[in-house]
Amino acid sequence: MTIRKVVSDEVLGHLARRQNELFRRIREGTVPDQWAIDRLQEIIEGPATAIIPSDIEVEVGVYRSAKALLEALRKAEHYVGGGAQALMETPEFRESLSRRKKGFHILFRRSRDFHIKVEIPRQHFFELAIRNGVQLCSPEMGPLIRLGYKHKSEREDVYIGMEPLREINGNEPLIFHVTNNTGQGSKLNVVHGSMDIPVNADELWAFSCPV
């Protein structure tokens, strides 16, 4: 005879409150919806094998305008989300485009590679990463990483380590976010760029260093 463990109403109530908090964060954009779906799938079915993509090289200064960079993304059949396009059309992004060509290594690292065991604010995470020898990406590198990133993991989810930019008609800070989901294709999106958002040990980030 199998004895089923009965979960108390108190535990279920706690789970419901955490669920509501998750829904709120997804709605406001501080938690990516696909990331949340993938984490729930891991809870139900078990974690997928964690694969770290190989580092790549990108060259800034190749595209002299945001329009040219957007056209290159579309020609390569990458979906550019509305938020990503709007961010690329801001004066701040256009001014960040390099005026000369220069190569950079793009380093893909899990947060835990910087010895993170508990969640810490993004600002502290960036400071820790820089102390460990990497640099933040320039805004231009977000779309370039999408162009040069050929890894086709079933559940690809890469955050671009960069100083956040703001939309033209809003005060919300944003950073670029590269995804590739089965059946949905490769995408360049944005997520909330607040430096107070907690970073967990399993997140995959892209940083840079000069060639």
Side-chain angles (χ1 to χ4, degrees):
M1 177 179 177
T2 302
I3 300 176
R4 298 181 61 186
K5 181 179 179 180
V6 178
V7 179
S8 69
D9 290 340
E10 181 180 358
V11 171
L12 292 175
H14 179 69
L15 286 171
R17 289 190 294 274
R18 300 302 293 173
Q19 171 187 275
N20 292 337
E21 175 66 14
L22 176 62
F23 289 169
R24 183 185 67 79
R25 292 192 180 193
I26 292 173
R27 187 178 296 111
E28 70 184 12
T30 58
V31 172
D33 56 351
Q34 189 60 50
W35 180 90
I37 291 169
D38 290 342
R39 299 297 81 73
L40 289 171
Q41 183 172 336
E42 288 177 1
I43 292 172
I44 296 169
E45 300 180 3
T49 302
I51 300 174
I52 304 296
S54 301
D55 298 337
I56 63 172
E57 290 187 12
V58 300
E59 187 175 23
V60 300
V62 174
Y63 300 95
R64 299 308 177 100
S65 68
K67 181 179 179 181
L69 194 44
L70 279 166
E71 288 176 353
L73 286 162
R74 288 170 179 149
K75 185 176 180 180
E77 299 185 344
H78 297 302
Y79 171 81
V80 181
Q85 179 173 338
L87 198 62
M88 292 174 67
E89 292 173 346
T90 61
E92 193 174 7
F93 179 86
R94 293 198 300 268
E95 291 168 5
S96 75
L97 293 173
S98 178
R99 299 296 184 264
R100 63 187 182 90
K101 295 182 180 180
K102 185 176 180 180
F104 285 86
H105 293 293
I106 300 300
L107 313 174
F108 298 101
R109 299 291 184 267
R110 296 280 177 193
S111 306
R112 60 175 172 265
D113 293 334
F114 300 106
H115 311 294
I116 290 178
K117 296 181 179 179
V118 297
E119 290 185 346
I120 61 173
R122 188 177 287 166
Q123 179 67 47
H124 294 170
F125 171 62
F126 282 0
E127 292 170 356
L128 179 61
I130 291 169
R131 288 200 300 271
N132 279 271
V134 302
Q135 298 178 4
L136 295 184
C137 297
S138 67
E140 179 180 5
M141 291 180 190
L144 291 177
I145 290 169
R146 176 66 283 174
L147 282 170
Y149 184 38
K150 307 301 183 184
H151 185 62
K152 296 296 183 183
S153 170
E154 181 180 351
R155 294 202 294 265
E156 168 191 297
D157 201 28
V158 183
Y159 300 91
I160 308 304
M162 57 178 280
E163 292 287 348
L165 301 181
R166 295 183 183 275
E167 298 174 299
I168 294 177
N169 298 319
N171 295 318
E172 181 177 345
L174 299 168
I175 62 173
F176 287 113
H177 180 231
V178 167
T179 63
N180 190 78
N181 304 114
T182 302
Q184 298 179 15
S186 57
K187 299 180 180 181
L188 176 68
N189 289 314
V190 291
V191 295
H192 201 289
S194 170
M195 288 300 194
D196 295 326
I197 292 177
V199 172
N200 69 60
D202 292 323
E203 291 178 0
L204 182 59
W205 287 85
F207 294 101
S208 71
C209 70
V211 172

